[in-house]
Amino acid sequence: MAKQPMLKFVNIERDMPSKRDANLRNKDFNEIYAEYADAKAKEQASRCSQCGVPYCQAHCPLHNNIPDWLRMTAMGRLEEAYAISQATNTFPEICGRICPQDRLCEGNCVIEQSGHGTVTIGSVEKYITDTAWENGWVKPISVMAERDQSVGVIGAGPGGLAAADMLRRAGLQVTVYDRYDRAGGLLTYGIPGFKLEKDVVMRRIDQLEQSGVEFVMNCNVGEDLSFDAIRGKHDAVVIATGVYKTRDLEGPGADADGIVRAIDYLTVSNKLSFGDEVPEYEDGSLNAKGKKVVVIGGGDTAMDCVRTAIRQGAESVKCLYRRDRANMPGSQREVQNAEEEGVIFEWLAAPKGFAGDPVNAVQVQKMRLGAPDASGRQSPEVIEGADYNEAADLVIKALGFEPEDLPKLWGVDGLEVTRWGTVKAEFKTGKTSLDGVFAVGDIVRGASLVVWAIKDGRDCADAVLTYLNEARAVAAE
């Protein structure tokens, strides 16, 4: 196998003295990196086998036409590659950065299955779209004909934004309502900047604003504006609030100072990246610097927390998870990244209680995996007499999210929910029990992936358009 070339950017003058490389001295880092990235993207794209059954595409929730945009990339036809990518994905640059490709497209690549290493689909997708933005290929939405019907979207996360994008393309008037001061939902305040740069999210928000989508921020539905008022203002409503209620810890001392929610911790960290003044960071309550940090949970949110704590200068960072590594719900790639950065994982370990107020230790009980349940997953069991104390100055709860009680929160009758508290909505269309009201994303599915929220938003937009067309036809009779 040919040895891969290596570029040494820092010592370029010393390490590239030959006449052949002299031209590189006149280039800045970005130029050299761009050339290297282009070469790597073409190299990886050319590895695509163009197999008869594209498992990568089948295992992508959006069913992106991955083989075709890889082929265009290999040929150097990047603008066409971007057009193919954008046709089925509202935010390809975001999915390229944060999708768990190891569980989706890349994990099902034929080349990966044959043992030769996957095509790095996510990296190529990111490169294609970043190149499109740099070259001005990404334009505000061009509407062929404006319509006088309007849609209100509650929630500016990936599902709501995807729906807003598609509805605006159809010429509808779209208003997005959100509780935060910036749009993007978890893309903005839940996912750390080292995984998803905030300017990447903001430029999409700007594109939607330039396209005529109206954003009403700092708007708590049920407090600042009633659900009925939104419903009365628009011809249809899309609920895309996501799930923000944190699953709580039990046991003695669980309400002590120093035990915080993952969403609060990550929101503060992300606000700092915007240059905001955040008192909770300055006073140390949501700042890991110099602290012994224990994160409880095993999903991607837990991985975001442990890696953020490392970057904030924590003295130590440990992650407790009650099952073993093989049963961890988060991305294995993220676990590996965290380990490389110094995070210590305590497998088969669960909190039993907490000492001190402010907290100074987690009382940990060791677990073992018992018999499989009905789904085949092994249930953790306590090992009696194997408890120990884990020193901690900051404990972060990353046990997952649950839906808020929207009918009660918004004071609305007739909005049906499931026994899990999610909004009951029709599969594919997102139709709810209320006429003209649709729901998408995590508030329907429960906590899930960004890519599924995008798919739901796009599918729902089609259903909303059909509903409005039918309503107009009836009104015309």
Side-chain angles (χ1 to χ4, degrees), residues 20 27 89 91 139 150 183 194 213 220 242 258 307 362 367 372 383 393-394 399-400 407 427 432 455:
R20 179 179 62 85
K27 298 182 179 180
N89 187 354
F91 312 119
K139 306 288 187 183
S150 71
F194 56 82
V213 175
N220 276 297
R307 298 184 67 196
V362 181
M367 317 291 285
I383 300 175
D393 305 309
L394 178 64
L399 301 168
F427 178 72
T432 72
K455 175 176 172 52

Side-chain angles (χ1 to χ4, degrees), residues 46 161 179:
S46 67
L161 294 178
R179 70 180 75 183

Side-chain angles (χ1 to χ4, degrees), residues 5-74:
M6 295 181 65
L7 289 179
K8 300 179 181 179
F9 299 116
V10 174
N11 296 312
I12 189 170
E13 292 289 343
R14 182 196 69 195
D15 296 330
M16 296 183 177
S18 68
K19 182 178 180 180
R20 179 179 62 85
D21 295 321
N23 289 336
L24 290 176
R25 299 192 193 104
N26 298 320
K27 298 182 179 180
D28 64 17
F29 174 88
N30 291 329
E31 288 179 287
I32 298 172
Y33 178 78
E35 291 178 5
Y36 176 74
D38 185 65
K40 293 300 291 185
K42 290 177 181 176
E43 173 195 305
Q44 282 296 314
S46 67
R47 294 181 64 234
C48 177
S49 65
Q50 298 291 317
C51 51
V53 182
Y55 293 103
C56 58
Q57 184 173 358
H59 285 84
C60 170
L62 290 162
H63 301 303
N64 288 324
N65 194 345
I66 296 169
D68 277 2
W69 56 252
L70 285 175
R71 183 169 66 249
M72 292 297 102
T73 302

Side-chain angles (χ1 to χ4, degrees), residues 1 28 82 112 135-136 140 151 187 191 294 302 415-416 429 454:
M1 183 179 291
D28 64 17
Y82 169 73
E112 166 74 5
N135 285 279
V151 180
L187 299 178
I191 299 173
V294 173
L415 180 63
E416 294 182 9
T429 67
I454 295 171

Side-chain angles (χ1 to χ4, degrees), residues 77-217:
R77 295 160 63 178
L78 295 182
E79 189 168 2
E80 292 167 85
Y82 169 73
I84 296 170
S85 170
Q86 179 75 44
T88 52
N89 187 354
T90 314
F91 312 119
E93 71 277 24
I94 291 173
C95 289
R97 285 168 163 83
I98 64 173
C99 262
Q101 288 96 1
D102 54 332
R103 304 202 313 257
L104 299 173
C105 54
E106 292 180 13
N108 292 279
C109 172
V110 168
I111 296 174
E112 166 74 5
Q113 298 298 323
S114 62
H116 296 289
T118 184
V119 175
T120 57
I121 296 168
S123 296
V124 177
E125 183 176 40
K126 170 182 176 294
Y127 173 72
I128 290 169
T129 320
D130 285 352
T131 301
W133 281 98
E134 290 166 7
N135 285 279
W137 302 336
V138 185
K139 306 288 187 183
I141 295 167
S142 178
V143 177
M144 294 296 291
E146 295 285 354
R147 298 175 56 145
D148 59 3
Q149 293 164 301
S150 71
V151 180
V153 179
I154 305 175
L161 294 178
D165 177 280
M166 298 300 290
L167 292 167
R168 185 68 193 117
R169 290 179 189 276
L172 294 165
Q173 310 310 307
V174 182
T175 302
V176 180
Y177 304 87
D178 196 87
R179 70 180 75 183
Y180 285 106
D181 57 342
R182 295 181 179 93
L186 289 178
L187 299 178
T188 298
Y189 286 133
I191 299 173
F194 56 82
K195 284 175 59 177
L196 177 59
E197 307 95 308
K198 299 311 159 187
D199 62 314
V200 170
V201 181
M202 291 301 111
R203 68 189 180 190
R204 276 294 181 188
I205 307 301
D206 290 342
Q207 182 207 23
L208 288 171
E209 285 188 310
Q210 291 172 25
S211 303
V213 175
E214 180 185 0
F215 286 88
V216 179
M217 308 309 298

